[in-house]
Amino acid sequence: MPDVVVVGGGVAGLSAAWTLMQRGVDVLLLESTDRVGGKLRQAELAGQLIDVGAESLLWRRPEGRRLVDDLHVRVTHPAQLSASIWSRGALHPMPTGTLMGIPSDPSALSGLLTPAEVARAVAERPVESSGDSSLGDLISGALGDAVVDRLVEPLLGGVYAGHARLLSASACLPQVNSAVARGDSLISLASSAATAAGDRRHDPVFATLPGGLGQLPGILTERLRAASAVVRTGAVVRALNRVGTRWELTVGETRAPERICADAVVLATPSAPTARLLGPHDATAGSALTAIEYASMAIVTYAFGRGDVPSTMTDRSGFLVPPVDGQRIKAATFSSAKWPWLSEAASDVTYVRVSLGRHREEVSLQTSDEDLTAAGLADLGAALGTTLPRPVETHLQRWGGGLPQYLLGHQDRIGRVRRAVEALPGLEVAGAAYEGVGIPACIGSGTRAAEMLLPHLSHG
Ligand SMILES: Cc1cc2nc3c(=O)[nH]c(=O)nc-3n(C[C@H](O)[C@H](O)[C@H](O)COP(=O)(O)OP(=O)(O)OC[C@H]3O[C@@H](n4cnc5c(N)ncnc54)[C@H](O)[C@@H]3O)c2cc1C
């Protein structure tokens, strides 16, 4: 019988297991699919393993840095290339010095915005927030719709695949909410953020592992197993019951279920499975979890012959697309240009990936693989103003329910889940559904869940 069972082998669950193992706790990790990693995943394309899920670690947050330090793995950083925004039919340089698209100098947005739109942003207006407001409503009230439509939306689309006018400011960018509550200018807020970022301009912002970020789950699993932790794939956890002071998990097929007992459990699963497991113990938490919506998306990666691609595919890291223009792709990453490790590893291929799909737009993905692949290529060619060569190979990865949406009321919902969990000794939750969808936030939430369980285990 393990001390702790971690349910879910994404980066949050693996981080929880890693933290527990390092404290000498006997851990069993159960992952329902045939592979660990969750949203970190690799596939082979044109002879090279590439990331087809998450690809980039925000290096300025400490959680990811701490984990790779602990693991003694080397990281590598992107090339110093700028990105673009494909807006109104042209590629514009991505404005610098913005806070998730809030400009520190609105006059620098000319070109991307019309003169009238720039003038509206320059003449910032005070806004009022009553409780939880959407990021889009606060920013458009202050700086006009165009700043939201053409700058904030594409940047938020990159993180949440969501919509600025639906996402909660207090859950996604609390400093905006606080500035509005104090009556402070959003331009000044972005300006202070830009100054702070400028002070750290020599520190890399993002990182990956040589070989891709999708290597991380495998490395963690290897280290866990080497330290006698058990990591099982193909193990669906179907039910969670309280038996005395312990937890009993029902695992596997309904016809021949396996029962596993443990002193404590971490549920590091997306909100729907967590609701199924936690709901019977606290109906309020169950319905709060069920109310968390997810965005589905697809990543298409194209491998082109190195000599065949236009220079616009190699002189920048990629581009973002504002939804207001009605294009099907929401972003393109010129992976071989962005990641020197990839360019060196596959020197005769140029990899480019595009992402499609936003929150509540699942219908746009309900089409054949061929259609999505062709749509991505057509948009890519249109953005670059050229007919692209035929890719040598193409890979499509669908991510149904890929990213949780922190909609209005998110923090209340999470508060209800946290209160329910506090009342259930030996149980913790972790993962992207709660306080951050990025990998460092998920690592942090797994680590915290593990640390919260330690006093419970030592009392036992
Ligand atoms: C396409 C895409 C690209 C992204 N790019 C980036 C990026 O570049 N940088 C970044 O910081 N973030 C990125 N993100 C976000 C980030 O990758 C995720 O939010 C994060 O990896 C989620 O980790 P997690 O452990 O919380 O959940 P998951 O990765 O979803 O893992 C949960 C695991 O639980 C398992 N599970 C579910 N139910 C059960 C059950 N009943 N029993 C057992 N196991 C179960 C699942 O199979 C899954 O493996 C991206 C997300 C997507 C979808």
Side-chain angles (χ1 to χ4, degrees), residues 8 10-12 30-33 38-39 54-56 237 273 399 431-432 437-439:
V11 73
L30 299 173
E31 161 58 41
S32 58
T33 67
K39 306 309 184 297
E55 51 129 32
S56 184
V237 177
W399 289 105
V437 301
I439 292 166

Side-chain angles (χ1 to χ4, degrees), residues 7-14 30-33 35-40 52-58 158-159 213 235-238 268-270 273 276-277 297 299 353 399 402-404 430-433 436-440 442 445:
V7 186
V11 73
L14 288 164
L30 299 173
E31 161 58 41
S32 58
T33 67
R35 46 169 280 281
V36 290
K39 306 309 184 297
L40 278 76
V52 294
E55 51 129 32
S56 184
L57 183 65
L58 182 58
V159 179
L213 200 55
V236 187
V237 177
R238 300 195 182 279
T269 40
R276 283 194 290 277
L277 298 171
M297 54 218 274
I299 301 281
R353 73 181 216 165
W399 289 105
L403 279 162
V437 301
I439 292 166
C442 294
S445 94

